[in-house]
């Protein structure tokens, strides 16, 4: 019996460092893949289609909703984002673990379908630091930063139902914590049925 990959759902307010943390996990674990989402937002400088996101039109996105192609989708900061069922199924069936960098609405929707997934919330150390990070990125207007901070307050209230919360204060320590979550989850007894039966079969 082949082991099915684990889904790691990671949410955070923007500026908490989620994308960098997820990229570290991909580098650390050779059996971990990033779920590339579909979005209607325009690519930022340096972003590549099919790597960072699949950039699609509003119409294409709508078509995918109607065809039932998404495991979840949500409107975030005025744009649509969605995770394709096919992406998750293809990786998991090959025994690969998948990391999904998605917002709280999407995570909540997945929770009702994938109860066996691991839900991780990344927290900033505090609001002044979150503001500093958002301002430091120099990618948003002052109004957009205020909007992101307001949304962050609502998102952080959602952290209470996630399985793990990691404060990204010092980046290397946050990486270690996230890595520990992955290692611990791989060792869960309920995920090791095939390993156990293999021991007795040999
Ligand atoms: P950004 O546009 O800054 O890359 O992402 C904005 C927000 O959308 C982030 O919180 C990110 O996690 C979220 N996001 C990215 N992909 C998806 C997705 O497929 N589904 C949902 N629900 N949120 C997503």
């Amino acid at each position: 019996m082949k082991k099915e990959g684990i889904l790691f759902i990671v949410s955070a307010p923007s500026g908490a460092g989620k994308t960098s943390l997820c990229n570290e996990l991909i580098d650390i674990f050779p059996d971990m893949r990033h779920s590339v989402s579909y979005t209607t937002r325009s690519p930022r400088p340096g972003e590549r289609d099919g790597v960072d996101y699949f950039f699609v039109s509003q119409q294409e996105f709508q078509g995918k909703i109607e065809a039932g192609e998404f495991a979840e989708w949500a409107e975030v900061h005025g744009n649509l984002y969605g995770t394709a069922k096919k992406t998750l199924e293809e990786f998991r069936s090959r025994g690969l673990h998948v990391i999904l960098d998605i917002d709280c609405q999407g995570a909540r929707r997945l929770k009702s379908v994938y109860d066996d997934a691991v839900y991780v919330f990344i927290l900033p150390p505090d609001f002044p630091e979150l503001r500093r990070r958002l301002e430091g990125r120099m990618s948003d207007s002052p109004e957009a930063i205020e909007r992101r901070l307001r949304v962050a307050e609502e998102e952080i209230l959602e952290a209470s139902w996630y399985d793990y919360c990691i404060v990204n204060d010092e980046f290397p320590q946050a990486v270690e914590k996230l890595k520990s979550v992955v290692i611990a989850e791989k060792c869960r007894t309920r995920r090791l049925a095939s390993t156990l039966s293999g021991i007795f079969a040999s």
Side-chain angles (χ1 to χ4, degrees), residues 18-31:
K18 173 181 51 165
T19 308
S20 311
L21 283 168
C22 290
N23 288 342
E24 284 288 319
L25 279 197
I26 302 282
D27 286 346
I28 294 169
F29 296 99
D31 56 357

Side-chain angles (χ1 to χ4, degrees), residues 12 18 37-38 41 44 47 53 72-74 76-77 81-83 101-103 106 148 155:
K18 173 181 51 165
S37 297
Y38 286 80
R41 89 151 159 75
R44 295 188 185 122
E47 282 186 331
Y53 284 103
E72 64 74 35
W73 67 272
V76 189
H77 306 305
Y81 295 83
T83 307
D101 166 342
I102 65 172
D103 88 316
R148 283 185 191 272
E155 286 171 332

Side-chain angles (χ1 to χ4, degrees), residues 2-199:
K2 198 164 179 358
K3 260 193 278 181
E4 208 179 39
I6 308 169
L7 296 184
F8 291 91
I9 321 291
V10 183
S11 302
S14 58
K18 173 181 51 165
T19 308
S20 311
L21 283 168
C22 290
N23 288 342
E24 284 288 319
L25 279 197
I26 302 282
D27 286 346
I28 294 169
F29 296 99
D31 56 357
M32 178 82 77
R33 297 288 183 277
H34 176 228
S35 158
V36 179
S37 297
Y38 286 80
T39 184
T40 59
R41 89 151 159 75
S42 318
R44 295 188 185 122
E47 282 186 331
R48 286 171 298 162
D49 188 39
V51 176
D52 300 286
Y53 284 103
F54 293 108
F55 296 97
V56 294
S57 67
Q58 192 92 16
Q59 237 176 349
E60 268 179 275
F61 198 98
Q62 202 59 42
K64 288 181 181 297
I65 295 176
E66 281 157 27
E69 288 183 27
F70 291 126
E72 64 74 35
W73 67 272
E75 185 176 332
V76 189
H77 306 305
N79 296 301
L80 300 175
Y81 295 83
T83 307
K85 285 181 192 159
K86 195 166 150 231
T87 308
L88 305 184
E89 283 154 18
E90 276 180 7
F91 285 143
R92 295 189 85 192
S93 64
R94 287 160 56 201
L96 294 166
H97 310 300
V98 193
I99 189 148
L100 288 83
D101 166 342
I102 65 172
D103 88 316
C104 301
Q105 306 169 72
R108 232 179 222 289
R109 283 175 195 157
L110 286 185
K111 181 82 178 157
S112 55
V113 186
Y114 298 99
D115 194 35
D116 198 34
V118 183
Y119 294 81
V120 183
F121 200 94
I122 309 294
L123 289 161
D126 50 42
F127 276 101
E129 174 59 19
L130 187 61
R131 176 183 289 279
R132 265 194 298 280
R133 290 182 191 174
L134 288 172
E135 288 172 350
R137 295 205 300 202
M138 306 218 283
S139 59
D140 289 309
S141 64
E143 299 74 43
I145 290 177
E146 292 312 317
R147 199 170 56 237
R148 283 185 191 272
L149 285 168
R150 276 198 304 278
V151 171
E153 284 182 30
E154 289 164 26
E155 286 171 332
I156 289 172
L157 291 174
E158 290 272 327
S160 59
W161 67 262
Y162 280 70
D163 298 315
Y164 298 92
C165 281
I166 293 174
V167 178
N168 183 12
D169 189 352
E170 297 297 328
F171 186 72
Q173 285 165 17
V175 171
E176 278 307 301
K177 288 178 188 169
L178 196 52
K179 192 176 142 189
S180 309
V181 165
V182 173
I183 294 170
E185 287 294 334
K186 285 183 175 192
C187 296
R188 274 207 190 268
T189 313
R190 68 169 188 270
R191 303 195 201 278
L192 294 177
S194 60
T195 307
L196 293 174
S197 53
I199 290 171

